[in-house]
Amino acid sequence: MLDIQLIRSNPDDVKKRLRAKRVDESLVDGILNLDKRRREIQSKSDEMKKTRNERSKEIGNLVKQGQDASALKEETRLLGERIKDLDVDLKNIEEEQHQLLLTIPNMPHESVPVGESEESNAVVGEWGEKPNFHFEPKPHWEIGEKLDILDLPRATKIAGSGFPLLKGSLARLERTLISWMLDLHSREHGYVETAPPYLVNRKSMTGTGQLPKMEEDMYLCQVDDLFLIPTAEVPVTNIHADEILNGAQLPVYYVAYTPCFRREAGSHGKETRGLTRVHQFSKVELVKLVKPETSYNELETLLKNAEEVLRRLGLHYRVVALCSGDLSFSAAKCYDIEVWAPGMQKYLEVSSCSNFEDFQARRAGLKFRREAGAKPEFVHTLNGSGVALPRLMIALLETYQQPDGTVKIPDAIRGIFGADVLKN
RNA sequence: GGUGGGAUGGCCGAGCGGUUUAAGGCGGCGGUCUUGAAAACCGUUGAGCGAGAGCUCCGGGGGUUCGAAUCCCUCUCCCACCGCCA
C-alpha cells in the first residue's frame, strides 16, 4: 500500500512512477478526491465531538448539583445524532479509499529500467556455462518417464493436469534437496527455520498483496474462507503482522519450506510440459524484515544466498533484473534467477528475489522502533525463493543426465542423498 | 461441537455509568547520589488520523445513554472441563 500522505504531497511524481508500471493515473485522482472529502468530514465530526464532550461534562456537573439539565440533554442528543450520520459517511469514505489504495501496485525503485514487458529485462549476471553433451540431451519428462520416477498421467488421474507425482528416487531427491537447502540457509546464511501454516486467511493474503487483485489465481477453501498458500512468503511475511518490533532485533531472517498452490489461471498450454508449470510444487523461501536504509543491500545478499544453491550444485544460471512493467504487484525491485535446462534448451525461473520496501509492511502492519521512545516506523520486507524445487530438479536431471538414461548426483548432496547416481 | 471463565498500555494488574486526560507495580529511558555500579529517590515512558485546534482507540462489530473500559447484543480468540478425532 502506498502512503496516502506521499500521494497527497507529490501526486505528479507518484503518477509518473506508477505509469512505468502501467497504472492509470485517474485512479490516483480518485483517491485524492476521496481523501479531501474524508478530511473535511473528519474535521467537522471532530469539532462536533469536542462540543459534545464539553456538554456532557457540563451535564454531569449540573446533575451533581441537583439542577435541571433536560434542555441541555435534549440539545446534546440532537448533536449526537448529527455526529452519528457524519461518522457513517466518514466510515464509508474511509473504506472506499482503503479499498482503492489496496488496488494500487507498488512503485518501481529508481534503479529499475522502465519497460513494458520482459523484453526490457536486463541480464546482470551469469555463472557457469552451458554443459556440452556428446549425445542429444533429453528433456526431464523423458528422463523421468524412462526411470519411472515421474508419473504425470497417474497424477492427472488422481487430481487433474498440472499436479505432479514423484516416485522412488525423484521423491527422495526432492526431500534431500529441501533438507539440504534448509540447512544451507539456516546454518550458513543465518535464517531462522520456520514451518508455517499452509492455509491462510484473507487478511494475510491482503498483507502481502495477493488480494484483492489476484484472488482468481488462488485455491480457496470456501467453507472456511481460507486460501492455500501460493508461496511461503504469505504466512512468513505475516508472522509479525500488527507488531512493533524492537529495532535491535532487525534484521529478521526466516527460511521456510512449504508446498505452494497456484491455479495458474489462463496459462494453460504455455510452458506447461512436464514439471515446468504445475499447480502444486515445493519451494524453500527466504524472507527478510529489515531497516529501510539497508533494504537494497539486503536484496543483494538475499540474491547471493539463493544463487549459492545453484553454485553448489554446479548448475549454470543467469540473473535478470526485471524492468518496471514486468515487476509483480508488490515489488519495487526484483531479480529473477534463471537456471539452464539443457534438455529443454531454456532458462527457467527458479527464484524471484524482491524488495517490497514498505509496501507490504503498510498493508500487514509491520513496524519497528529504532530505540526506546522513538516513533514506530515501517520495516522493509524482502523475499526470494531459495529455490523452487520442480525447476531445480529439471535442471539437475537435464544437466547431469548420462547416455544410459541415469542421472549423476552432484557432490554437494551425494552424501545425504546416499547414492552417486539417480536410477529409479 | 457442548458448558463455564476470561480478553485493559511492552508485561502484570485495578477500575464495573461522569476529575479514567486508565490507579498501582514491573520493565524501558532520563536525572540525583556514587570513583563506577547496585540500592534508594525524582521525572518520564502506548497507537492512529489531522495543517492545526482537536478527535479516536481498554479483543472486533453493533446497540442503550447527554456521557460507556464500565450496561446490553453479537463475533473472534484464549483458558478449563466434557464429547469427537489424528
Side-chain angles (χ1 to χ4, degrees):
Chain A
M1 195 158 58
L2 299 182
D3 182 4
I4 182 64
Q5 298 189 31
L6 177 74
I7 300 176
R8 195 188 297 143
S9 55
N10 298 305
D12 294 332
D13 188 44
V14 169
K15 283 179 190 171
K16 188 179 148 209
R17 293 177 64 188
L18 282 175
R19 214 175 298 140
K21 223 165 169 176
R22 296 175 297 182
V23 176
D24 185 3
E25 53 190 71
S26 66
L27 200 54
V28 175
D29 288 325
I31 284 183
L32 285 170
N33 281 334
L34 280 176
D35 185 53
K36 187 155 173 266
R37 274 169 63 204
R38 195 196 97 235
R39 283 184 302 152
E40 282 166 4
I41 294 177
Q42 170 129 26
S43 95
K44 207 187 285 179
S45 165
D46 283 357
E47 241 165 73
M48 287 162 77
K49 280 175 182 165
K50 185 189 176 188
T51 309
R52 181 178 65 182
N53 290 344
E54 288 165 356
R55 289 196 189 157
S56 290
K57 225 163 251 176
E58 253 178 80
I59 292 168
N61 288 333
L62 288 175
V63 169
K64 215 174 280 175
Q65 291 161 23
Q67 297 184 33
D68 175 45
S70 52
L72 193 54
K73 268 194 192 179
E74 176 59 13
E75 198 185 321
T76 312
R77 190 182 64 77
L78 292 171
L79 181 66
E81 279 174 10
R82 288 207 284 149
I83 291 173
K84 201 176 280 180
D85 289 344
L86 269 187
D87 280 352
V88 168
D89 288 352
L90 184 62
K91 208 177 160 189
N92 288 338
I93 288 180
E94 272 175 353
E95 183 58 23
E96 196 181 335
Q97 181 180 345
H98 185 67
Q99 291 307 321
L100 265 180
L101 270 175
L102 287 177
T103 66
I104 297 187
N106 200 2
M107 301 186 293
H109 184 251
E110 57 190 14
S111 69
V112 172
V114 175
E116 286 283 314
S117 68
E118 56 183 275
E119 274 105 72
S120 305
N121 295 346
V123 175
V124 295
E126 211 171 320
W127 189 88
E129 287 173 8
K130 292 179 186 173
N132 290 313
F133 294 87
H134 42 76
F135 60 96
E136 184 73 15
K138 292 178 180 142
H140 66 281
W141 55 86
E142 285 180 24
I143 301 167
E145 196 182 349
K146 187 114 183 258
L147 294 175
D148 192 28
I149 54 176
L150 180 62
D151 194 339
L152 297 176
R154 285 203 174 93
T156 303
K157 176 178 71 181
I158 301 163
S161 78
F163 289 89
L165 171 60
L166 315 184
K167 299 199 297 193
S169 58
L170 190 58
R172 177 183 183 79
L173 177 67
E174 179 174 86
R175 175 162 59 85
T176 300
L177 286 166
I178 290 167
S179 176
W180 175 73
M181 288 190 280
L182 284 171
D183 282 344
L184 171 67
H185 296 307
S186 62
R187 292 186 184 157
E188 298 188 44
H189 295 155
Y191 293 76
V192 175
E193 185 171 343
T194 60
Y198 302 158
L199 277 81
V200 297
N201 55 31
R202 278 180 191 276
K203 184 173 182 296
S204 298
M205 286 293 246
T206 307
T208 36
Q210 280 74 18
L211 292 184
K213 294 195 90 172
M214 276 90 75
E215 180 158 352
E216 65 283 357
D217 291 328
M218 313 300 158
Y219 286 102
L220 170 63
C221 300
Q222 261 177 324
V223 279
D224 297 300
D225 205 32
L226 292 171
F227 292 85
L228 275 81
I229 56 172
T231 158
E233 162 192 356
V234 179
V236 176
T237 304
N238 278 287
I239 288 175
H240 296 291
D242 297 320
E243 290 182 25
I244 300 173
L245 298 167
N246 185 335
Q249 288 173 253
L250 297 178
V252 171
Y253 296 169
Y254 287 123
V255 58
Y257 150 73
T258 69
C260 301
F261 303 91
R262 300 183 180 180
R263 294 189 61 232
E264 303 290 354
S267 66
H268 280 290
K270 187 167 109 185
E271 279 183 14
T272 52
R273 195 84 197 267
L275 288 175
T276 330
R277 186 181 292 275
V278 279
H279 292 310
Q280 177 193 314
F281 62 96
S282 296
K283 182 157 62 70
V284 169
E285 184 77 3
L286 307 170
V287 172
K288 290 181 170 185
L289 309 182
V290 308
K291 289 183 185 169
E293 65 274 19
T294 66
S295 68
Y296 280 94
N297 286 334
E298 294 280 5
L299 177 61
E300 298 299 320
T301 55
L302 178 72
L303 176 65
K304 288 281 167 287
N305 294 155
E307 286 179 49
E308 187 63 20
V309 169
L310 303 181
R311 291 183 183 219
R312 291 201 187 186
L313 294 173
L315 296 171
H316 167 57
Y317 67 87
R318 65 182 189 187
V319 177
V320 175
L322 299 194
C323 73
S324 60
D326 211 21
L327 285 177
S328 69
F329 181 78
S330 301
K333 180 166 183 166
C334 178
Y335 294 112
D336 277 357
I337 302 175
E338 298 180 340
V339 73
W340 177 246
M344 295 175 74
Q345 286 289 304
K346 252 185 189 167
Y347 284 100
L348 300 175
E349 180 193 328
V350 282
S351 178
S352 273
C353 296
S354 308
N355 185 358
F356 305 96
E357 298 187 0
D358 65 7
F359 187 83
Q360 293 181 325
R362 276 178 200 285
R363 294 174 156 242
L366 295 162
K367 297 184 173 183
F368 77 103
R369 212 190 299 276
R370 276 182 199 277
E371 63 232 5
K375 278 275 164 216
E377 301 171 52
F378 289 108
V379 302
H380 279 194
T381 62
L382 303 94
N383 70 52
S385 336
V387 300
L389 270 301
R391 292 176 185 172
L392 176 63
M393 292 191 293
I394 290 172
L396 285 170
L397 292 182
E398 296 186 4
T399 300
Y400 292 116
Q401 60 182 302
Q402 304 184 102
D404 67 357
T406 63
V407 178
K408 271 194 306 186
I409 298 295
D411 291 345
I413 56 168
R414 200 169 283 165
I416 47 174
F417 181 74
D420 300 345
V421 176
L422 191 147
K423 291 177 188 157
N424 51 27

